[in-house]
Amino acid sequence: MLQLLRPRHIPETRVYAHLPGFTVLANVFCVNGTLLLVSDRRDSFPDLKYILSSWKEVSGKTFVKEPTEDHIRVIDRKTALQILGISARVLRGTTWLLNDPTAYADESFSLRALRTHYMQEHRSRFNQSILPPTRILFPQISNKVQGIPLGLSSIPRLLFPSSGVGFKEDWHDYILLGRPIVIEHLVALDSAATSRSRRISTNAQEALGHLSVGSPLSVFNMIPAGWWSGWRNNMAKMLDIDAHSWQGESSSSVRPVVTYIFRQPNTGAVLDTDDHRQLIRNLNHLVDSHGYEVHIIDDREISFLERVKISLRTTVMLGTPGSGIMNAIWMHPSRLSLAIEIFPDNYLSTKQYFVIGTAGIKHLAWRGSQPLFETSTPLSIISESYLARANADIPPGTVNFLKQPIHVDAVAIVNYVVSWLEQDQGTEDEEM
């Protein structure tokens, strides 16, 4: 319990690190669901629209606006004393607050939250002291709604066994306490706040479109993959995966592992039925012709744990736009690790490119019978080209285009996989 008898007793809110949609704060107060940032210096905080958003669901559709004073505001210590009263309950440790609704939530949240801890501004001083998180909250997502990504609760329990996981109902319990709460350390993530970044767009409509076709991770600079390797290794240990079994090509005694992950049929992005069947046949043929280990995964018929176990051992992963190809974040980053995302003719998204690239895995966009970019193309050029093409290729009604079957040349893409895996292996693998 924190006693708040005088203004000087009230701890000021501090900003440890910030990029639009990714904010690390200390001493954040919460009263009736409103986040209060306490300081006598208003200019010490970024614009609040870059920290949090207001989400609302109407008739099954999700709407987003900039936050109001009911969501987040800055107050001075004198005002804080009037609002907070004489005491506040303290939530010790680090709280992750992931403010995205179900429509924009996916299993990359752990990658995004951990990447937030590695911001250069606070990495050396604060990173070790505020990890792992004590609690992980999804205030916009009900645990009673179907369609919640399985990893929202499973990933934290595997990576951080001692951390608690709460959803909308749990957040309401905090609100109903009717007394002030002070959050010792808060890591706030909000995709819509990222989309308002000038780096992405100054046009509100384009910014909203970024939620569907882009990743919040685009605001970060790429850093060496080693930052994520420790967390990947922790996942492998929790799932009892032998480290040597998922090194892929790094050992002559271990075969390359090729994984095709899909949801077919589905309302999302799927291959044309004939192309899908041909791709499966051609991939399975690699078992006899090249001695590869091949996995064909229907995302609807495999458990979350089995899916991650296979991903940890995968050398090359193939999939269409969506959550399936995102499993590449669990792959071991080596010289031959590659995720191939198969796009339709009229659609290109940067979402998985940034997610997978942040995890240190090479990402290749494929369309029809050929790749859109060579893997040797400099990262900066790919990034700019992706963004330019995505903006040009995404007309209104994007979701409708993903309902059309995607055509792919199964022979060409499998030949590419073979040529990729059979390239000169005389050079020792190096971690990216």
Side-chain angles (χ1 to χ4, degrees), residues 227-296:
W227 81 272
W228 175 244
S229 295
W231 303 106
R232 181 190 288 109
N233 292 347
N234 287 348
M235 178 66 82
K237 291 176 182 177
M238 289 298 295
L239 296 178
D240 197 26
I241 297 293
D242 183 356
H244 294 291
S245 70
W246 54 281
Q247 297 292 324
E249 66 291 342
S250 64
S251 170
S252 59
S253 63
V254 178
R255 297 178 295 169
V257 179
V258 179
T259 300
Y260 168 42
I261 187 165
F262 64 90
R263 286 189 177 187
Q264 191 112 358
N266 189 34
T267 55
V270 297
L271 292 187
D272 171 79
T273 301
D274 291 337
D275 292 350
H276 168 70
R277 291 171 180 168
Q278 185 63 44
L279 178 58
I280 292 176
R281 284 194 295 268
N282 289 12
L283 288 172
N284 282 330
H285 181 65
L286 296 178
V287 177
D288 295 327
S289 64
H290 290 77
Y292 299 166
E293 180 180 337
V294 174
H295 293 276
I296 309 297

Side-chain angles (χ1 to χ4, degrees), residues 330-378:
W330 303 113
M331 291 167 56
H332 173 65
S334 67
R335 186 171 59 86
L336 295 182
S337 299
L338 180 66
I340 303 177
E341 188 172 6
I342 307 170
F343 288 101
D345 291 338
N346 48 16
Y347 176 83
L348 180 64
S349 167
T350 64
K351 185 182 290 288
Q352 305 310 335
Y353 161 73
F354 283 106
V355 172
I356 294 168
T358 299
I361 302 299
K362 291 181 286 292
H363 175 279
L364 182 70
W366 186 279
R367 180 176 283 167
S369 61
Q370 60 187 4
L372 291 175
F373 300 99
E374 293 297 329
T375 54
S376 59
T377 305

Side-chain angles (χ1 to χ4, degrees), residues 82-156:
Q82 297 171 355
I83 295 175
L84 300 174
I86 63 172
S87 66
R89 179 186 174 188
V90 181
L91 293 185
R92 298 291 181 189
T94 300
T95 300
W96 284 2
L97 189 73
L98 297 111
N99 197 46
D100 292 349
T102 306
Y104 299 106
D106 58 50
E107 293 177 2
S108 71
F109 78 91
S110 58
L111 181 94
R112 289 186 284 129
L114 285 168
R115 178 65 181 86
T116 305
H117 284 269
Y118 286 79
M119 286 191 201
Q120 186 64 43
E121 294 91 333
H122 82 296
R123 178 171 48 179
S124 59
R125 288 183 293 159
F126 304 112
N127 181 51
Q128 295 303 319
S129 63
I130 62 176
L131 278 174
T134 306
R135 65 197 61 82
I136 301 169
L137 299 175
F138 300 92
Q140 305 297 334
I141 300 177
S142 171
N143 58 14
K144 299 177 182 179
V145 176
Q146 293 184 346
I148 297 177
L150 298 176
L152 292 194
S153 58
S154 299
I155 292 175

